[in-house]
Amino acid sequence: MNKEELGGFLRSRRARVQPAEMGLAAGARRQTPGLRREEVALLAGISVDYYIRLEQGRGPHPSEQVLGALGRVLRLTADEHDHLLRLAGHPPVRAVPTREVPGNVLRLLERLDGVPAMVINVRYDVLAWNPMLVALIGDPAERPAGERNTLRWLFGGDRPPSGSMLQLGRQCVADLRASGRYPGDPDVRRLVDELSASSPQFAALWAAREIAVQRTLRKRTVHPVVGELELDCEILPVPGRDQRLVLYTAAPGTASGHALRRLRDTLPG
């Protein structure tokens, strides 16, 4: 159980819920955003002292029933509720962490000759990719193995991300939070510490404690050969592994769809 993270997460979500959403009057003397601690405790059916100790990182190990009640009061999404369970020491069964990509997934990458695709792990390390991804973003093999990480690409460059790229970064940071790997996984902790120290934007996004497992993203970029691209990024879990297959697609007949076809034509052979 990570009491400090649990308390911080509860505080951040309590501040997000408006009293009117729970049928409470805002009141003229309300000085803090969101619900009061006393209101959360009352609505969840627990004592005020018990809830205060949870927020302060001094509470006992809460049961799944208590966490379920808090999740309903704080209006948590399914992903956020899973994260709350993990913080309180009730983690779901996790896939085995490994950098070895299954052979069937590698064969699938080879067959996706018209779709940029890659395999990433929970840290956003790029583990495998196909020629179309190289045509889209360059060859990850030209970077040292430790730098093949999309979060480092987003937040570790000379220019801080902005616009759509910053929104993409926000979604990825929320996804990393939702994995439940921090702070128990030393590799994830090192990555978070590194980027928090080097990127004020990453540090602010991490401190916001947003939680959302990403399944579909939108990526906008300008390619030096085929021009503007607006791509749907589908993120598919690899069964039995702590890995995901990332596919970049565009709707047929669109400008981006035609651009992807032109990109395919630039490949050798």
Side-chain angles (χ1 to χ4, degrees):
M1 175 176 174
N2 191 320
K3 293 185 176 183
E4 181 180 354
E5 283 291 319
L6 176 64
F9 184 64
L10 290 173
R11 290 193 301 273
S12 68
R13 291 312 180 264
R14 176 170 60 84
R16 190 181 63 179
V17 181
Q18 298 304 310
E21 296 180 77
M22 306 304 296
L24 301 172
R29 299 181 62 184
R30 189 178 292 270
Q31 297 178 349
T32 57
L35 298 177
R36 299 187 177 102
R37 294 186 179 93
E38 295 82 359
E39 292 167 338
V40 173
L42 175 65
L43 292 168
I46 59 178
S47 73
V48 175
D49 178 67
Y50 180 82
Y51 180 73
I52 290 176
R53 284 187 289 142
L54 284 179
E55 278 205 2
Q56 292 177 343
R58 300 185 296 109
H61 193 284
S63 68
E64 292 187 38
Q65 290 76 16
V66 167
L67 296 171
L70 289 173
R72 289 189 292 273
V73 173
L74 299 177
R75 304 176 71 84
L76 301 185
T77 66
D79 292 337
E80 289 172 334
H81 183 67
D82 285 347
H83 184 66
L84 179 66
L85 288 173
R86 292 188 187 98
L87 291 177
H90 300 286
V93 177
R94 292 174 176 166
V96 177
T98 177
R99 295 183 67 89
E100 182 180 353
V101 179
N104 61 323
V105 177
L106 294 175
R107 291 190 293 272
L108 178 60
L109 283 177
E110 293 175 1
R111 295 181 65 87
L112 293 170
D113 60 352
V115 177
M118 63 182 175
V119 177
I120 62 173
N121 62 11
V122 70
R123 268 178 28 117
Y124 280 76
D125 293 322
V126 180
L127 306 178
W129 55 91
N130 67 357
M132 274 293 283
L133 187 88
V134 175
L136 178 65
I137 67 170
D139 192 351
E142 295 179 354
R143 300 171 181 262
E147 295 180 11
R148 297 172 195 166
N149 180 282
T150 57
L151 285 174
R152 285 195 176 101
W153 298 345
L154 277 168
F155 293 101
D158 296 332
R159 292 189 302 174
S162 60
S164 63
M165 295 306 292
L166 181 58
Q167 175 60 20
L168 176 64
R170 175 183 178 180
Q171 293 171 307
C172 292
V173 172
D175 181 77
L176 182 63
R177 269 280 190 191
S179 73
R181 294 289 184 182
Y182 180 88
D185 187 319
D187 288 335
V188 173
R189 188 171 65 249
R190 279 193 291 270
L191 178 68
V192 170
D193 290 347
E194 171 197 325
L195 293 179
S196 295
S198 63
S199 169
Q201 288 176 307
F202 179 90
L205 291 172
W206 187 255
R209 288 185 165 87
E210 292 189 9
I211 304 295
V213 175
Q214 300 303 325
R215 300 173 178 91
T216 301
L217 299 173
R218 180 64 58 86
K219 180 182 178 67
R220 296 181 177 86
T221 187
V222 179
H223 191 273
V225 175
V226 300
E228 292 187 8
L229 287 165
E230 184 170 335
L231 303 174
D232 294 317
C233 176
E234 304 296 332
I235 304 174
L236 309 176
V238 176
R241 300 293 177 110
D242 200 4
Q243 300 171 356
R244 288 174 289 180
L245 177 64
V246 182
L247 308 173
Y248 294 97
T249 66
T254 63
S256 293
H258 292 309
L260 273 185
R261 293 187 64 180
R262 295 198 303 274
L263 190 63
R264 169 64 183 84
D265 292 339
T266 67
L267 297 178

